[in-house]
Amino acid sequence: MKPAASGSNSNANARQALVPTNTVTTKDGVSVRARIDPSLAVVDVVRQLCSNLKVQDHPALYALRDEQDVLVTDENLLKKIREKAHLKLVSSPVLEAVEIVEKLTAREDKSTKMALFSLQKYIQEDAFANEFLKRRGLSELLAVISVSHGNTLAYALKGLQNLMALNHGWSDIPKSFVSELVLILADPQNLVNVSRPATSILKRLVEADPRFAPQAPATMLSSASRPGTAMSNVAANTANKPALQIVTNNKMPRKGVWNYGFDFVWDEMRKEGLSTGQVTSQGSDRSIRPLETVVQKLSSGDTKMATDSMMLINSLMKNATDSRWEELANELERLNVRKVVVRLASSSMMEDLSSQVMEFQANLTSLAYRRKTTPVDPELPSVRDALTVIWNASRIPDTPIGIQQTRGPIARPAVRAGTWDPSVFEDPGSQASTAKWVKIGFESEDLQLEFERVGLLGLDCLRILAASSPEYFAEVILEQLSRPAERRCPVAKASNEVVELLSEHYQVFGPGYSTSSSFCPYFLWFHRVHNLAVKFFLRIWNESSAAATDFARVAALVRSQISVALKDETRPWHEIERDFLDSEYREVRERQMRELELEDDLLNKPPVRLIEGSRNVRAKLYKESFEFVRSQRIQCLMLGAWFVNGNPVPPVGTSPMRESISLKRMHRPWRFFRLDKSMRYLHYVDSVVKLPIRAGLEDLPEKMEVAQIVDVTPNTCALPPNIHTGGHAPSDIPYSPTVASPLSFSLLSTQGGSLADLVAENSTSYSDWIDGLNMLRGDHFSTKETADMVQALTEIGLKIKLLDLSGEKVEIPSNLPIPPLPPTTDFFFSDYD
């Protein structure tokens, strides 16, 4: 590094060598122009600057920052030189850390507030963070949070939030502080700038679960694996390796960072809820006030607050343990989160919250699958309560209606081990007490067996059907009992069948698998749609004069009606009701016949009908297709792609700093992104034009950590002017300085703000990357292209399975008679030897 030439110099080469690259301003306000050698380390650059500027202090006390106070490091030095950034010679991160810790210890209001304000920026730097933690800065910060309020509390919480973005250093957070944090969150009177960082900190604690710690030992791999996470990939890749090799190649997770998790946070939230003494309509169940406050924040009208609240709810749903997920699900149902999210999705904030709403829908699918696959155990109090509601709503009298009393004692069906004896609901003197659940529409008294396909989800739906319209439910049950046995519609069996049909329609096939690339509001109203479909089932049964042997035929009509009624979920609710309540049997039957005529002839063969009856085949194929597409999308990330650095189109009120940053991107409008083999970092390079990029990472000097990406938000930025994508017309990506491109998306940071604002060259690249990043971080996808591909692969796989079945019972002879030799070899082409 040399100072700029100031006098005449006859040597042209010398003048060329001394062309300044940057302007550097000292603490005293003196600005000099200097040429910085990009091959030097930043430490050497600072040392030479101090030497040339005659700075008396040791060079280790100084560092370089740009105008946005971003620390100049060896990784970004070349970029700063290329951009000719205005640099400042300031105190080093180590010195800043020492001064801030001293100010926090002094507890003087004004100096503490200024120190916390600076802490928010500097804590993200490794050198600062290491020195800050070494001097017990975390303990001082937690102490300040415990006694502060207002803006001081907001600054302190934001500093802690930024510190927790690191994967080390916060091992000293005590349980008592988490309790204080929950109290802060539970107070609805706190300002938004206080509630937001508190919400994000709790979310980070939930995600710091030992089950999902990187580099976990082999003994934790089985419990840590979950679909769609980095740990599941590690487990999958090491599944076929010897256990000894797994232990050897992995280290224990860092202490303190991964020792919190869902159970830790949930216990503290429940403790706060119980301490308030609030009692819900359920009786002894008490409301969890912190979670209730979080749900209320969804309707606050503040987009960022709603986003943080949705992130915490999604994190709780995604990380819930096997022993506690049902508690969380019941609490979310009690707080009616579905209704709040549906209202939120129909508001003007949906554009900003679309990714989080889609993740909520995916998490809700996982909870639905968990409930569907959880057996009904009548010994559990919650199951007993649900069965009591169903039985009481049926209003079945002691003397059976329309049933001739049999002579002699009625044989009680055997109750196998682990099932609940239905006699707990028997009324004294009832002569048909052993057939109670058959009267409601089950085929037997074994409730575990009856709910085997639909689990707790089926029980919930039947309970809500009975509780929401007890008069209607009782009327239907009594009406069926008044008919001959062969003409009755089994109401309970119909309810379970509708649950299966809706699960098939919404593709509730497994935990972590998203059902749709678009928002499905009526999936969130699963129970309401279930009620409508059951009523439709009963009405079609009556209008078609169906008998017990016609159950499958009526179920097929209901499947067809569900497919038609829920095809477009943007329609208002009253139209959905009309389709289920007013559709005539003749119209439904004729439409179904037309659908059957349009289907492939293969689907009319008997083996195919057998396959259609087995939903497990389609579910398995869907999972396989999903994983295949997920792998393909991640491979696209590893191959890399060019993007345009878009100009953000933020809402009104965004700070001008971000606008200035977007203007600087115009100097290097192109960016190439590539995911490394470890799937931990996105490497990239900015360029004036698109250049050939070699395989590997040598041409990509900069990188960002995938873990820093908290959300992938579509439709966020506009294409800069005069940028044309190679091979595509400019109209492919419309330009407007105020309207976001449909092929744009932003990578939002855990620190707030955007890591990158990108515009894809075409819809294929857009689909590959936005869904690839979502699948890499979680499990949901958001584009129609990916949804269509998964669906197409599922259908192709199903048809292949059906082709295999179509050859059943075909005898292939093993021994064929050998025919005699031909009488002559004088063939017509023998002359052309």
Side-chain angles (χ1 to χ4, degrees):
M1 196 279 303
K2 299 180 180 180
S6 56
S8 59
N9 192 333
S10 58
N11 192 331
N13 292 333
R15 286 198 302 269
Q16 181 68 22
L18 295 177
V19 172
T21 58
N22 299 83
T23 300
V24 181
T25 302
T26 66
K27 286 184 176 182
D28 300 329
V30 178
S31 296
V32 295
R33 302 184 69 194
R35 178 185 180 275
I36 300 177
D37 186 352
S39 64
L40 294 177
V42 173
V43 174
D44 296 329
V45 172
V46 172
R47 184 174 62 252
Q48 291 189 23
L49 273 173
C50 292
S51 175
N52 293 335
L53 296 173
K54 310 299 183 182
V55 176
Q56 300 298 323
D57 297 329
H58 195 281
L61 300 178
Y62 291 90
L64 286 174
R65 297 185 182 273
D66 63 10
E67 291 179 305
Q68 283 76 40
D69 283 334
V70 175
L71 183 67
V72 178
T73 62
D74 292 338
E75 287 76 15
N76 62 12
L77 176 61
L78 179 60
K79 180 179 180 181
K80 301 301 179 185
I81 295 175
R82 286 177 175 175
E83 294 178 350
K84 297 184 177 181
H86 192 138
L87 304 179
K88 300 181 294 184
L89 188 64
V90 296
S91 298
S92 68
V94 173
L95 187 58
E96 291 282 2
V98 173
E99 294 176 352
I100 287 179
V101 172
E102 290 177 353
K103 292 178 181 179
L104 294 180
T105 306
R107 298 287 200 280
E108 295 179 1
D109 292 343
K110 186 175 182 180
S111 61
T112 299
K113 185 177 293 187
M114 294 299 297
L116 291 172
F117 186 80
S118 300
L119 178 66
Q120 299 177 62
K121 299 181 295 182
Y122 298 150
I123 196 63
Q124 304 175 47
E125 301 165 1
D126 288 338
F128 179 93
N130 292 335
E131 189 66 24
F132 180 81
L133 295 169
K134 187 188 302 181
R135 295 180 175 272
R136 299 187 59 81
L138 178 59
S139 300
E140 297 297 334
L141 178 59
L142 298 182
V144 170
I145 292 175
S146 299
V147 298
S148 300
H149 55 83
N151 287 334
T152 303
L153 177 59
Y155 294 156
L157 288 172
K158 184 63 177 178
L160 179 59
Q161 176 191 349
N162 292 344
L163 170 63
M164 293 180 67
L166 305 175
N167 284 331
H168 63 90
W170 32 289
S171 58
D172 296 332
I173 297 180
K175 197 169 186 179
S176 58
F177 172 78
V178 179
S179 300
E180 294 178 6
L181 189 66
V182 170
L183 286 173
I184 293 174
L185 184 67
D187 188 355
Q189 303 302 321
N190 277 327
L191 299 176
V192 171
N193 61 347
V194 172
S195 298
R196 285 191 59 206
T199 304
S200 298
I201 292 170
L202 272 184
K203 171 182 174 290
R204 186 70 176 100
L205 290 172
V206 172
E207 295 171 347
D209 196 310
R211 296 174 299 157
F212 313 127
Q215 297 181 339
T219 54
M220 295 178 63
L221 285 178
S222 60
S223 62
S225 301
R226 57 174 178 172
T229 63
M231 276 307 304
S232 65
N233 298 328
V234 173
N237 294 334
T238 60
N240 297 323
K241 298 181 181 180
L244 179 60
Q245 182 178 355
I246 297 176
V247 175
T248 303
N249 294 338
N250 290 279
K251 301 178 181 180
M252 288 294 292
R254 296 179 180 180
K255 179 182 178 182
V257 179
W258 303 97
N259 60 351
Y260 301 99
F262 174 84
D263 286 345
F264 180 88
V265 175
W266 184 250
D267 286 340
E268 294 302 317
M269 295 179 73
R270 281 191 59 85
K271 186 187 303 181
E272 164 58 18
L274 295 174
S275 66
T276 62
Q278 296 179 351
V279 182
T280 66
S281 58
Q282 298 291 334
S284 61
D285 294 333
R286 299 176 187 271
S287 175
I288 300 179
R289 191 157 64 96
L291 187 59
E292 183 178 356
T293 305
V294 171
V295 174
Q296 291 173 354
K297 295 291 186 182
L298 293 176
S299 306
S300 64
D302 185 278
T303 303
K304 293 183 177 179
M305 184 70 252
T307 301
D308 289 340
S309 300
M310 280 294 300
M311 286 182 176
L312 177 57
I313 293 173
N314 283 329
S315 182
L316 289 170
M317 295 173 70
K318 191 169 186 177
N319 294 281
T321 58
D322 292 339
S323 60
R324 310 297 292 276
W325 70 266
E326 195 170 352
E327 294 180 22
L328 174 65
N330 292 337
E331 188 64 25
L332 292 176
E333 287 297 321
R334 182 180 297 117
L335 296 174
N336 210 355
V337 177
R338 298 171 187 247
K339 182 178 181 180
V340 177
V341 173
V342 170
R343 188 186 303 119
L344 195 65
S346 61
S347 68
S348 59
M349 293 192 295
M350 177 57 181
E351 185 175 350
D352 300 312
L353 293 172
S354 59
S355 180
Q356 290 304 316
V357 169
M358 289 299 299
E359 186 171 351
F360 176 83
Q361 180 173 287
N363 291 330
L364 200 62
T365 304
S366 297
L367 288 180
Y369 179 80
R370 274 182 160 182
R371 296 193 75 85
K372 186 173 182 287
T373 55
T374 300
V376 171
D377 183 2
E379 297 292 342
L380 296 177
S382 58
V383 174
R384 286 174 175 263
D385 293 342
L387 294 174
T388 301
V389 171
I390 295 170
W391 179 256
N392 291 340
S394 68
R395 301 179 185 176
I396 297 177
D398 293 342
T399 303
I401 300 176
I403 302 178
Q404 297 297 329
Q405 296 185 5
T406 59
R407 297 181 181 178
I410 299 177
R412 177 181 294 274
V415 180
R416 59 190 177 94
T419 61
W420 171 46
D421 187 346
S423 63
V424 296
F425 285 135
E426 291 181 6
D427 297 327
S430 176
Q431 298 184 13
S433 59
T434 58
K436 285 194 169 184
W437 298 113
V438 173
K439 297 175 187 176
I440 293 180
F442 291 111
E443 293 182 336
S444 70
E445 298 296 303
D446 188 346
L447 297 182
Q448 281 190 342
L449 179 63
E450 294 298 324
F451 285 105
E452 185 177 21
R453 292 186 305 153
V454 293
L456 290 179
L457 181 63
L459 178 64
D460 290 341
C461 289
L462 184 58
R463 175 184 59 80
I464 293 175
L465 174 67
S468 60
S469 303
E471 293 80 7
Y472 170 81
F473 187 75
E475 180 183 350
V476 167
I477 295 296
L478 296 178
E479 179 185 355
Q480 300 305 319
L481 289 177
S482 65
R483 298 178 178 180
E486 66 275 5
R487 308 297 297 181
R488 296 175 191 163
C489 176
V491 178
K493 182 180 178 181
S495 173
N496 289 348
E497 181 68 20
V498 170
V499 172
E500 279 279 15
L501 295 176
L502 289 175
S503 299
E504 181 180 343
H505 175 77
Y506 286 113
Q507 298 176 338
V508 184
F509 292 149
Y513 293 90
S514 177
T515 58
S516 174
S517 61
S518 60
F519 180 57
C520 301
Y522 298 130
F523 172 70
L524 271 63
W525 295 121
F526 191 94
H527 300 111
R528 294 180 64 183
V529 177
H530 169 267
N531 289 359
L532 282 179
V534 170
K535 293 178 181 178
F536 177 80
F537 194 110
L538 295 171
R539 185 166 61 84
I540 293 299
W541 184 281
N542 293 335
E543 293 182 3
S544 63
S545 301
T549 56
D550 297 324
F551 187 88
R553 177 177 61 83
V554 177
L557 292 172
V558 176
R559 175 190 286 108
S560 175
Q561 188 66 13
I562 287 175
S563 176
V564 172
L566 301 178
K567 184 177 182 179
D568 180 11
E569 299 217 2
T570 61
R571 298 191 304 156
W573 175 252
H574 68 86
E575 294 186 10
I576 305 295
E577 284 186 310
R578 183 182 60 198
D579 286 345
F580 280 109
L581 300 180
D582 299 336
S583 298
E584 296 184 2
Y585 165 73
R586 184 183 300 277
E587 296 177 356
V588 176
R589 180 60 178 167
E590 290 177 355
R591 184 189 66 238
Q592 186 201 30
M593 296 303 297
R594 291 194 300 269
E595 292 172 353
L596 292 175
E597 292 175 0
L598 294 175
E599 288 182 355
D600 187 2
D601 292 339
L602 183 63
L603 296 180
N604 294 323
K605 296 181 179 180
V608 175
R609 292 198 296 270
L610 179 63
I611 280 291
E612 286 187 335
S614 177
R615 300 180 177 91
N616 292 332
V617 175
R618 181 181 292 273
K620 180 180 178 181
L621 292 172
Y622 181 87
K623 295 177 187 178
E624 293 176 353
S625 302
F626 184 97
E627 291 299 334
F628 176 83
V629 173
R630 181 177 183 274
S631 175
Q632 184 271 335
R633 291 292 191 253
I634 292 178
Q635 286 298 320
C636 289
L637 303 189
M638 292 182 176
L639 291 175
W642 281 101
F643 298 92
V644 177
N645 284 317
N647 290 333
V649 186
V652 179
T654 301
S655 62
M657 182 180 67
R658 186 173 179 182
E659 295 178 5
S660 64
I661 293 175
S662 65
L663 291 175
K664 288 177 64 177
R665 295 173 182 168
M666 296 179 62
H667 299 293
R668 296 180 180 274
W670 292 95
R671 174 173 291 188
F672 187 90
F673 260 118
R674 176 176 288 158
L675 180 69
D676 66 0
K677 298 298 182 182
S678 69
M679 297 188 291
R680 292 182 58 191
Y681 294 97
L682 283 171
H683 296 255
Y684 65 94
V685 63
D686 291 324
S687 176
V688 177
V689 295
K690 292 198 299 182
L691 301 171
I693 302 295
R694 294 174 295 177
L697 306 174
E698 295 180 1
D699 295 340
L700 309 174
E702 302 183 63
K703 66 181 180 180
M704 67 176 65
E705 192 174 0
V706 175
Q708 293 295 318
I709 303 174
V710 71
D711 196 10
V712 182
T713 305
N715 304 326
T716 55
C717 49
L719 188 71
N722 303 321
I723 298 296
H724 301 283
T725 55
H728 297 270
S731 59
D732 286 349
I733 305 179
Y735 166 69
S736 174
T738 58
V739 178
S741 167
L743 301 181
S744 66
F745 60 94
S746 293
L747 309 182
L748 301 186
S749 170
T750 55
Q751 313 298 330
S754 174
L755 294 170
D757 301 294
L758 307 172
V759 182
E761 291 191 85
N762 49 61
S763 59
T764 301
S765 179
Y766 174 81
S767 175
D768 288 343
W769 276 77
I770 193 170
D771 287 333
L773 289 170
N774 278 328
M775 289 175 166
L776 181 65
R777 296 171 46 254
D779 301 293
H780 72 284
F781 48 80
S782 58
T783 65
K784 186 176 183 297
E785 289 82 355
T786 301
D788 290 344
M789 181 178 292
V790 173
Q791 187 63 29
L793 290 174
T794 303
E795 295 301 325
I796 292 172
L798 180 61
K799 289 188 177 182
I800 292 175
K801 293 290 186 183
L802 300 180
L803 286 172
D804 292 340
L805 286 177
S806 62
E808 286 185 351
K809 299 181 180 180
V810 176
E811 295 184 3
I812 300 177
S814 57
N815 296 320
L816 295 176
I818 301 176
L821 293 174
T824 177
T825 58
D826 187 14
F827 301 115
F828 70 92
F829 51 82
S830 60
D831 295 338
Y832 297 94
D833 291 340

